[in-house]
């Protein structure tokens, strides 16, 4: 392997701390070091993140080594940073689950890729670094015109949204959909995927007029998208009014307890509700389960990171066939139209930071003011 001294040295890094750090579990080691973002558990908040040298992982059977150009931030990264999100068995202790980069080295039986291939990928961990060893079926070819920041913004949010709406929710053409927290990363992805799959009416909730106005611009069709400020409006009542009492066919929920009863009331007969989070709590004080029986409802809980490698890799490859070709090469706001037509999906990027600005990037994510993805570039 070539060390690439111009990449691994002489670059500004965050201050190191004179504390004992447990080396991250990278799985496999090489004798060359790389820079990665680590966690100092003796500090609190985003300030517990710092950059240090760790061994470069060695690609194993059916793996490739990717030199990372950019990676995306996700809410789970905050929880993992604070010790509240245990990583799946065998995963790297380094944060980060999505990235874009260049294939640098091949493991055995990885002939489907070549050194120099530009890719985007989904990982169980390890993306907050200069290099990552990743399974050959966990990466997809990056479209040539697409920049690294857009490519790094796709996998976690859009694969999760695709899994929820299409694979689990079984969304069909001309069905009605409700997507809660529409201004979130998965929310903006799900709204656009629902539109691209031919949803008749899309309902979404958010906490402010500014966020809802942004979502209308993103979807670009007020006859399709119906926005609801959940702080001032009753989403169940509005859905019943618009659908003439019928309700919705597919519901994506991140909220849990506070929305439970209204969710059940807003669902149509034979509807599917996919639960991705429990932001308002997990315990119900009093509720009726009768609608589940009499409406023949399907209620499914779903996660992604803890799924088996076989499930995730198959999902990634299906996503690459059905959704990635619809994603525009530029982010929303920089290229309003391209040759992908009316079904084109545009990634929403809130901000881009450098690797040595990781503390600032996490503080931005924690502020809850962002709409879209926060991306970090790796020099």
């Amino acid at each position: 392997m070539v060390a690439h001294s111009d990449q691994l040295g002489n670059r500004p890094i965050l201050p190191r701390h004179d504390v004992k750090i447990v080396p991250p579990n990278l799985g496999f080691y090489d004798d060359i070091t790389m820079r990665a973002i680590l966690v100092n558990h003796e500090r609190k908040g985003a300030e517990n993140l710092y950059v240090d040298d760790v061994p470069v992982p060695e690609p194993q059977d059916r793996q490739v080594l990717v030199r990372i150009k950019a990676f995306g931030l996700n809410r789970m990264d905050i929880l993992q940073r604070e010790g509240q999100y245990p990583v799946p068995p065998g995963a790297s202790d380094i944060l980060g689950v999505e990235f874009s980069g260049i294939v640098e080295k091949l493991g055995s039986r990885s002939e489907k890729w070549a050194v120099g291939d530009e890719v985007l990928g989904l990982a169980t961990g390890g993306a907050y670094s200069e290099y990552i060893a990743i399974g050959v079926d966990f990466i997809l070819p990056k479209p040539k015109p697409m920049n690294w920041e857009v490519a790094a913004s796709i996998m976690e949010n859009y694969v999760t949204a695709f899994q929820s709406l299409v694979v689990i929710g079984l969304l069909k053409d001309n069905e009605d959909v409700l997507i809660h927290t529409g201004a979130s990363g998965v929310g903006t992805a799900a709204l656009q995927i629902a539109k691209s799959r031919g949803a008749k009416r899309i309902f979404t909730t958010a906490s402010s007029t500014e966020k809802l106005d942004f979502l209308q611009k993103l979807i670009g069709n007020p006859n399709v998208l119906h926005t609801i400020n959940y702080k001032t409006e009753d989403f169940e009542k509005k859905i019943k009014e618009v659908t003439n009492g019928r309700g919705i066919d597919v519901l994506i929920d991140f909220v849990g307890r506070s929305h439970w009863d209204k969710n059940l009331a807003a669902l149509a007969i034979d509807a599917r509700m996919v639960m991705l989070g429990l932001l308002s709590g997990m315990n119900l004080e009093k509720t009726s389960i009768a609608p589940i029986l009499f409406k023949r409802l399907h209620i499914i809980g779903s996660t992604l990171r803890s799924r088996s490698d076989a499930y995730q890799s198959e999902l990634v490859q299906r996503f690459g066939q059905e959704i990635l070709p619809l994603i525009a090469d530029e982010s929303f706001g920089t290229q309003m139209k391209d040759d992908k037509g009316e079904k084109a999906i545009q990634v929403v990027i809130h901000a881009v930071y450098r690797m040595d600005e990781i503390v600032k990037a996490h503080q931005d994510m924690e502020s809850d003011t962002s709409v879209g993805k926060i991306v970090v570039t790796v020099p």
Side-chain angles (χ1 to χ4, degrees):
M1 178 187 291
V2 180
H4 295 290
S5 60
D6 60 323
Q7 296 166 2
L8 299 180
N10 300 321
R11 283 171 291 178
I13 63 174
L14 297 177
R16 303 183 187 187
H17 305 286
D18 295 326
V19 295
K20 183 179 180 181
I21 302 296
V22 178
N25 171 25
L26 290 170
F28 309 102
Y29 298 112
D30 202 346
D31 58 357
I32 302 171
T33 61
M34 66 177 181
R35 291 192 305 159
I37 295 167
L38 306 181
V39 180
N40 173 2
H41 291 292
E42 295 188 10
R43 301 170 71 93
K44 297 295 182 182
E47 291 80 6
N48 67 2
L49 297 172
Y50 71 104
V51 179
D52 208 345
D53 293 334
V54 298
V56 174
E58 180 72 13
Q60 301 298 298
D61 184 50
R62 293 187 57 76
Q63 285 189 330
V64 298
L65 183 70
V66 175
R67 175 161 54 90
I68 293 177
K69 300 292 290 184
F71 60 83
L73 272 57
N74 293 281
R75 291 284 172 181
M76 73 177 78
D77 301 343
I78 296 175
L79 296 175
Q80 185 176 336
R81 186 196 76 201
E82 298 298 329
Q84 301 177 38
Y85 195 115
V87 299
S92 171
D93 293 333
I94 293 175
L95 304 179
V97 297
E98 61 183 342
F99 62 91
S100 60
I102 303 171
V103 174
E104 183 110 338
K105 185 177 181 180
L106 306 180
S108 58
R109 296 197 303 154
S110 56
E111 296 81 7
K112 68 182 293 185
W113 298 104
V115 171
D117 284 346
E118 298 181 350
V119 299
L120 58 156
L122 182 70
T124 54
Y128 280 30
S129 59
E130 292 182 310
Y131 292 90
I132 188 170
I134 189 76
V136 296
D137 293 324
F138 284 77
I139 53 178
L140 297 170
K142 181 184 78 67
K144 280 293 182 183
M146 183 179 287
N147 65 46
W148 297 114
E149 293 82 4
V150 169
S153 304
I154 292 172
M155 295 299 278
E156 175 64 20
N157 288 342
Y158 284 83
V159 171
T160 297
F162 173 68
Q163 175 200 30
S164 306
L165 276 173
V166 180
V167 178
I168 299 174
L170 302 175
L171 176 65
K172 296 185 286 290
D173 186 59
N174 212 38
E175 287 192 318
D176 293 325
V177 183
L178 168 60
I179 298 165
H180 285 303
T181 63
S184 66
V186 177
T188 56
L191 290 173
Q192 295 187 84
I193 291 175
K195 180 185 176 185
S196 75
R197 304 291 288 204
K200 180 180 180 181
R201 289 169 292 214
I202 305 170
F203 299 87
T204 193
T205 61
S207 61
S208 70
T209 301
E210 292 76 17
K211 289 182 177 180
L212 295 173
D213 288 345
F214 172 83
L215 296 177
Q216 283 290 3
K217 293 178 182 177
L218 179 66
I219 299 303
N221 188 339
N223 294 320
V224 172
L225 183 66
H226 300 264
T227 58
I228 304 165
N229 186 327
Y230 69 84
K231 290 187 174 181
T232 61
E233 298 178 89
D234 184 329
F235 69 82
E236 175 203 345
K237 182 178 179 181
K238 182 166 183 177
I239 288 169
K240 290 292 184 65
E241 289 176 350
V242 175
T243 63
N244 294 318
R246 179 182 177 276
I248 52 169
D249 301 290
V250 180
L251 192 160
I252 307 299
D253 182 44
F254 306 83
V255 183
R257 181 189 57 80
S258 64
H259 286 11
W260 177 262
D261 288 333
K262 289 184 179 297
N263 280 344
L264 295 190
L267 291 168
I269 293 174
D270 292 319
R272 291 84 70 196
M273 179 167 76
V274 182
M275 300 189 66
L276 300 180
L278 300 166
L279 293 175
S280 68
M282 62 182 69
N283 297 314
L284 296 170
E285 295 180 2
K286 183 179 179 181
T287 190
S288 171
I289 61 175
I292 300 175
L293 175 64
F294 296 120
K295 289 186 178 183
R296 303 189 298 270
L297 302 179
H298 299 249
I299 301 175
I300 310 105
S302 180
T303 60
L304 180 54
R305 192 179 186 185
S306 60
R307 300 260 191 180
S308 69
D309 286 353
Y311 178 96
Q312 291 193 53
S313 60
E314 182 179 347
L315 179 65
V316 166
Q317 296 305 308
R318 182 177 170 186
F319 171 85
Q321 294 174 357
E322 297 186 29
I323 302 298
L324 185 59
L326 301 177
I327 298 180
D329 297 323
E330 301 292 336
S331 61
F332 179 75
T334 58
Q335 178 180 310
M336 298 302 294
K337 293 182 179 180
D338 68 2
D339 60 2
K340 293 184 173 68
E342 293 183 359
K343 290 188 177 181
I345 295 169
Q346 290 189 300
V347 171
V348 180
I349 294 180
H350 168 69
V352 177
Y353 293 91
R354 301 186 310 272
M355 191 177 188
D356 62 347
E357 296 177 309
I358 188 61
V359 171
K360 188 184 298 184
H362 264 240
Q363 289 171 336
D364 191 353
M365 182 163 58
E366 289 177 306
S367 71
D368 288 327
T369 59
S370 63
V371 176
K373 177 66 68 174
I374 295 174
V375 181
V376 174
T377 59
V378 180

